[in-house]
Amino acid sequence: MNAGIIGIGKYVPEKVVTNEDLEKILDTSDEWIRTRTGIEARRIAADNENTSDMAYKAALAAIESAGITAEQIGLILVATVTPDQAFPTVACQIQEALGAKNAAAMDISAACAGFMYGLITAKQFVESGSYDYVLVVGVEKLSKIIDWQDRNTAVLFGDGASAAIVSKVSEGRGILSFELGADGTGGKYLCLDERKAIAMNGREVFKFAVRQMGESAMNVVEKAGYNKEDVDYLIPHQANIRIMEAARERLGLPEEKMSKTIHKYGNTSAASIGISLVDDLEDGKIKDGDLIVLVGFGGGLTWGAVTLRW
Ligand code: ACO
């Protein structure tokens, strides 16, 4: 028996901030941002719109799409590095808001790889028979930890949320293989500095990400007993189009077989892979029975990947 995703949802804030908008407040250009990152716009949450509000909306959509009730959920895992506060956790806040009174709840901190850490943790609890339904949320309000004067980082990120319900699926479907990893020696390359703002060595993160995304994607395909030729679709963490392209090339996939939502949303960290999944399903890019690879990396450094039969 495999665990798989039986429902999915997303929420992005209404406010769109384009590259042209950033040109007005930073020494940057639409051309630089587009060619270096693939980003054209991002969503930014309102001041009074919290991480927990976005998480709740995405969770509600996932619950509806799974056709279950909140009371059936046994565990809530919220991947975020921008919780409303250290505690109570976002997981506990949305447990109350959803009325998921039978669920245990905790946050997971693995930066942009958070959704993968959540999904893979959920898989263990479902396959061990501990819980029938696990709610996984990836959510970030990165706008509150961005130094809006720092052009090196301010242009890259956006806010948003995605959620998935993980449960038993029929044989041969769901999550077929996974890989998780971490390298604390690279923690210094991407962190919150003393101002509590994102600080990044872009070059080092880029090098790590290009290598790790390709390697992890290949590893999970092999672990599932497949070749790269069998892969129908790739959803990489939406951090930078050039990093994503490197992973796609490693799998030898044509352009149309890779998810690309970064131009609309920027890097939404833990939310990005789930947001892509929702949009790609809506756009008909993923078909029933497709073999999909999800792969993410993030600050920590952390990474995670799965092969999934949809
Ligand atoms: N607009 C204009 N110029 C800029 C901007 C900007 N927004 N940002 C940097 N520059 C300048 C730099 O100052 C530099 O100028 P200099 O040569 O005079 O010093 C020049 O552009 C080139 O900078 P590079 O660092 O060489 O640019 P690069 O091609 O490496 O692209 C980037 C930078 C986009 C940040 C890239 O390194 C990258 O994507 N790295 C990975 C970042 C990432 O994915 N971070 C998120 C990780 S996920 C997570 O866990 C949060």
Side-chain angles (χ1 to χ4, degrees):
M1 184 268 293
N2 283 332
I5 295 172
I6 63 155
I8 182 112
K10 77 156 202 239
Y11 171 79
V12 290
E14 262 175 46
K15 186 179 176 190
V16 178
V17 174
T18 63
N19 292 347
E20 287 80 6
D21 293 329
L22 292 182
E23 281 177 355
K24 293 176 196 143
I25 57 164
L26 285 168
D27 178 17
T28 189
S29 68
D30 171 53
E31 203 268 334
W32 192 97
I33 302 170
R34 254 187 308 106
T35 52
R36 299 290 176 118
T37 71
I39 299 166
E40 293 165 23
R42 68 288 290 141
R43 301 297 181 98
I44 299 294
D47 287 345
N48 64 354
E49 189 171 40
N50 293 321
T51 299
S52 57
D53 300 323
M54 295 190 282
Y56 168 72
K57 288 178 180 161
L60 207 56
I63 291 167
E64 273 172 25
S65 112
I68 62 165
T69 63
E71 287 85 0
Q72 287 176 278
I73 297 168
L75 176 65
I76 299 173
L77 302 170
V78 175
T80 186
V81 292
T82 48
D84 297 3
Q85 63 277 310
F87 61 90
T89 58
V90 176
C92 283
Q93 289 176 286
I94 66 168
Q95 187 236 23
E96 182 194 13
L98 293 167
K101 57 177 194 268
N102 300 310
M106 65 172 166
D107 285 2
I108 292 178
S109 183
C112 302
F115 194 74
M116 303 313 301
Y117 269 75
L119 210 53
I120 293 161
T121 306
K123 169 183 160 71
Q124 314 309 319
F125 279 112
V126 168
E127 290 182 3
S128 67
S130 307
Y131 298 115
D132 291 334
Y133 300 100
V134 179
L135 166 63
V136 178
V137 180
V139 58
E140 302 292 1
K141 186 175 177 178
L142 292 168
S143 57
K144 70 178 178 181
I145 57 164
I146 288 169
D147 172 358
W148 287 101
Q149 254 118 56
D150 177 10
R151 68 176 184 176
N152 290 299
T153 52
V155 302
L156 301 176
F157 300 101
D159 299 332
S162 60
I165 301 291
V166 178
S167 186
K168 290 183 205 109
V169 293
S170 49
E171 203 56 46
R173 298 180 87 109
I175 301 168
L176 306 177
S177 64
F178 74 91
E179 172 173 291
L180 280 179
D183 176 8
T185 65
K188 54 186 175 287
Y189 297 137
L190 188 53
C191 54
L192 275 195
D193 63 14
E194 60 284 351
R195 299 162 309 150
K196 301 279 174 251
I198 299 175
M200 182 180 76
N201 181 330
R203 282 273 170 84
E204 289 299 332
V205 175
F206 192 91
K207 276 194 287 185
F208 154 74
V210 162
R211 190 187 66 245
Q212 197 57 53
M213 295 273 270
E215 244 172 64
S216 294
M218 284 300 295
N219 287 347
V220 288
V221 171
E222 278 164 21
K223 278 188 194 175
Y226 289 103
N227 299 313
K228 60 183 187 177
E229 291 74 25
D230 300 315
V231 177
D232 295 302
Y233 203 69
L234 169 69
I235 304 186
H237 167 46
Q238 308 280 307
N240 179 314
I241 190 70
R242 293 180 294 151
I243 296 171
M244 293 155 53
E245 287 294 345
R248 178 177 72 77
E249 279 161 22
R250 185 75 186 271
L251 287 178
L253 288 172
E255 229 173 276
E256 66 276 12
K257 299 236 164 160
M258 181 184 77
S259 179
K260 191 170 112 7
T261 57
I262 188 170
H263 58 294
K264 294 187 276 185
Y265 307 124
N267 178 351
T268 58
S269 187
S272 92
I273 291 175
I275 289 177
S276 267
L277 190 53
V278 172
D279 281 12
D280 294 340
L281 281 163
E282 274 172 16
D283 295 345
K285 292 184 181 161
I286 297 171
K287 314 242 164 8
D288 194 44
D290 274 356
L291 192 69
I292 310 173
V293 173
L294 313 183
V295 57
F297 73 94
L301 300 163
T302 54
W303 62 89
V306 299
T307 307
L308 191 79
R309 176 72 71 189
W310 192 254

